[in-house]
Amino acid sequence: RMVRIRAEKVKRINKYIEQPEINGEPEGDLLVISWGSTFGTVYTALEEVRKKGKKVSWMHLRWINPFPATLEKCIHNFKNILVPEINLGQLVKIIREKYLVDAKGFNRVRGLPLVTHELVEAIEKALEE
């Protein structure tokens, strides 16, 4: 009983946390969802892609438990979802399971930050799909 009470308490936190804004159009072909230390690389990669005239939207999560209340609606407004992570893809797996979407992961496990040009290539490939 206490486990369920605590889970409900965590779920209600959504009412009090700042909801992330979508950077770009509220619907379209590609939404990039990032969190944590990927912020800088994703920001730079999106600048490069947008300079080429391509439209990509982005949402950077500050909290992942609970997910922002607005995340589900945003996800379902896009044809493709790309989740860059510096791990084995834990976030993309949770997003796939929770929202039943075919989100793609861009995962790197090297002990180094993501490389911008690799992420630009992954974004451009996702836009072609």
Side-chain angles (χ1 to χ4, degrees):
R1 180 171 175 250
M2 286 307 297
V3 169
R4 287 185 181 87
I5 290 171
R6 286 186 189 106
E8 183 60 33
K9 189 176 185 180
V10 169
K11 185 178 174 184
R12 286 192 312 259
I13 291 171
N14 263 335
K15 297 176 185 177
Y16 306 101
I17 62 174
E18 181 183 339
Q19 297 297 310
E21 292 183 15
I22 213 165
N23 181 301
E25 299 296 321
E27 57 186 46
D29 291 330
L30 180 63
L31 174 65
V32 176
I33 300 174
S34 63
W35 71 286
S37 63
T38 62
F39 181 92
T41 304
V42 173
Y43 180 87
T44 304
L46 287 173
E47 279 188 333
E48 287 187 31
V49 170
R50 288 175 176 164
K51 283 180 185 175
K52 297 176 184 178
K54 298 181 180 175
K55 293 186 180 184
V56 180
S57 297
W58 173 39
M59 181 180 275
H60 186 78
L61 305 177
R62 293 187 63 195
W63 298 276
I64 57 175
N65 188 25
F67 277 128
T70 57
L71 183 59
E72 182 173 15
K73 183 179 180 203
C74 289
I75 283 176
H76 290 293
N77 285 336
F78 290 88
K79 293 177 187 171
N80 295 301
I81 308 295
L82 181 67
V83 184
E85 297 182 76
I86 306 174
N87 59 36
L88 296 174
Q90 287 88 331
L91 179 60
V92 75
K93 290 173 187 170
I94 294 169
I95 288 173
R96 284 179 188 154
E97 177 186 334
K98 184 167 178 71
Y99 301 117
L100 302 175
V101 294
D102 187 23
K104 303 285 191 255
F106 175 78
N107 308 316
R108 297 293 184 263
V109 183
R110 297 185 277 217
L112 299 168
L114 296 176
V115 179
T116 304
H117 74 85
E118 290 179 354
L119 183 54
V120 167
E121 289 172 12
I123 290 170
E124 290 174 341
K125 181 179 177 187
L127 283 169
E128 291 172 5
E129 293 179 356

